[in-house]
Amino acid sequence: MTDTTDDIAEEISFQSFEDDFKLLGNLLNDVLQREVGAQFMAKIERIRLLALSASNMRLSGIENMAALLEKQLASEISEMTLEEALKLARAFSHYLTLMGIAETYHRVRKGRSVTHLSKSCDDIFSQLIQGGVTPNDLYDTVCKQEVEIVLTAHPTQINRRTLQYKHIRIAHLLEYNDRPDLGHEDREMLIEDLVREITSIWQTDELRRHKPTPVDEARAGLNIVEQSLWKAVPHYLRRVSTALKKHTGKPLPLTCTPIKFGSWMGGDRDGNPNVTAKVTRDVSLLSRWMAIDLYIREIDSLRFELSMNRCNDRLSRLAQEILEKETLSENLRESRNQPLSRSQLKLHGQQAPSLPTQLPDRAGLPACTDYTDGGSQYPKLELPGTDYMPLAREDGRENSSKDLSPNIPKLSANGSSANSNGSSTAVTSRGSFSSGQLVAQRKLFAESTIGRSSFHKLLEPSSALRPGIAPYRIVLGDIKEK
């Protein structure tokens, strides 16, 4: 019964591989039909059939027929132009690449279908415990274990990183295609995404048109860290920690680093005269930049995840200290940006500008008014007079002269403004303003100035003691700034 079940599972798995391979092959044919034309596509198919038939004849032992087909195949290829030969080589290259992607994902799919993984951390630790190793010795040995993996540049890597990203994208789409709950519309969108990726691959140059520098080689090596090792190593260490806790009762310490990495990239001077001190420095800075970028991504992910308000007292005090420092620095920055008063200007040895004693001629007229012979070709601008209603205060009362500052001139009954010293200044009726209007305008100006300066504060958390503040996000934000 078990053998029959395994045979059925293997048959289904192989059928899935054939389905993926046929899907990618048919989509590539559709893309080539559109990109190179139907006539050249027929020539590609003819050459493919000749090569396949010749190979089958060789395997069957029919040497004469195989030689005849190979001779005809060589004649077909020799009659092609260089441009046609390049298109032919690219077509077969992408065909084999897509087949490799389908085969690689087929292996991943078979590994997931296996219920028990042999030679896992759990199995190894269980065998060691059964062999007489004590849990304490096992724990100490694993914690002291150190494996250093040294990375080196690979200048012989042919595939560009751009194409590697596209191949990974196709593998992810094949994985998405295996979902049992995939609807008809979702599957059509999946086909469109695959067609888009295959078309993009065909229209992308596969070759590097310039010799890679040592920095380029290091960048390609760091791409392996970003795409594979950054996620794979923590995943493996979690498996080790889980198995270790199961057999010894203690997980792997957070400070334990059983796997370490070294790098020859940008520093290997054995046989490469282009690797200079400047190259080593540039590669080191590039590595530091990538490390910081990867850590910032993880911090942003944690800030989004750790939204809890509850924490221990130590973390709460740390968050409070961070907010107090930020508040102090903001206050100092605002005090530096505030304008100096007249007394402060005098203390700094600067002469304050003198205020004008009277308005210039025709200052109360609109800027568009042009008087000619006592008339105007534009309508006069009606300015508010003494009957203008002042703005209401926040407490519901109107602004009156009692609310004015002693330094603001008050308007007398005859239309003149009286100063605090009893003297009066005449104001024309056309340009006169009431005291309430002056206060209202100054209030609006002050509010607009304050609003502009404190607009950014409205978007920031108000206090660490108020509800809704996440202390984890405050601490992680400080870590990100550092």
Side-chain angles (χ1 to χ4, degrees), residues 344-443:
Q344 290 174 333
L345 288 173
K346 291 180 179 180
L347 292 176
H348 284 79
Q350 299 180 3
Q351 181 66 28
S354 58
L355 297 176
T357 57
Q358 61 181 2
L359 296 176
D361 188 22
R362 296 164 56 188
L365 299 178
C368 62
T369 304
D370 185 15
Y371 276 86
T372 57
D373 299 331
S376 174
Q377 57 179 339
Y378 301 103
K380 296 181 180 179
L381 181 64
E382 294 295 334
L383 297 177
T386 56
D387 56 345
Y388 183 77
M389 298 298 295
L391 297 177
R393 297 188 351 178
E394 295 180 356
D395 55 2
R397 297 179 299 165
E398 294 182 352
N399 291 319
S400 61
S401 58
K402 295 180 180 180
D403 299 325
L404 301 178
S405 172
N407 297 327
I408 300 177
K410 298 180 180 181
L411 193 65
S412 61
N414 57 1
S416 62
S417 58
N419 297 330
S420 58
N421 54 6
S423 61
S424 60
T425 305
V427 181
T428 62
S429 60
R430 180 184 297 273
S432 62
F433 285 89
S434 65
S435 59
Q437 289 173 293
L438 294 175
V439 174
Q441 288 187 355
R442 293 187 180 184
K443 181 179 179 181

Side-chain angles (χ1 to χ4, degrees), residues 155 211-217 265-283:
K211 184 177 180 181
T213 64
V215 178
D216 294 333
E217 297 172 2
M265 296 183 296
D268 188 3
R269 290 174 170 78
D270 187 10
N272 191 349
N274 296 323
V275 180
T276 61
K278 182 181 183 302
V279 170
T280 303
R281 180 179 181 274
D282 293 341
V283 172

Side-chain angles (χ1 to χ4, degrees), residues 105-149:
Y105 177 65
H106 172 64
R107 294 179 181 177
V108 175
R109 181 164 41 203
K110 286 181 61 177
R112 292 175 180 174
S113 63
V114 177
T115 57
H116 183 72
L117 295 176
S118 60
K119 296 184 179 180
S120 63
C121 298
D122 192 8
D123 293 335
I124 297 298
F125 291 165
S126 178
Q127 293 176 9
L128 291 175
I129 293 294
Q130 293 177 2
V133 179
T134 62
N136 290 332
D137 292 341
L138 176 62
Y139 183 80
D140 294 338
T141 303
V142 173
C143 292
K144 295 177 181 178
Q145 181 76 22
E146 289 187 2
V147 176
E148 185 174 5
I149 301 175

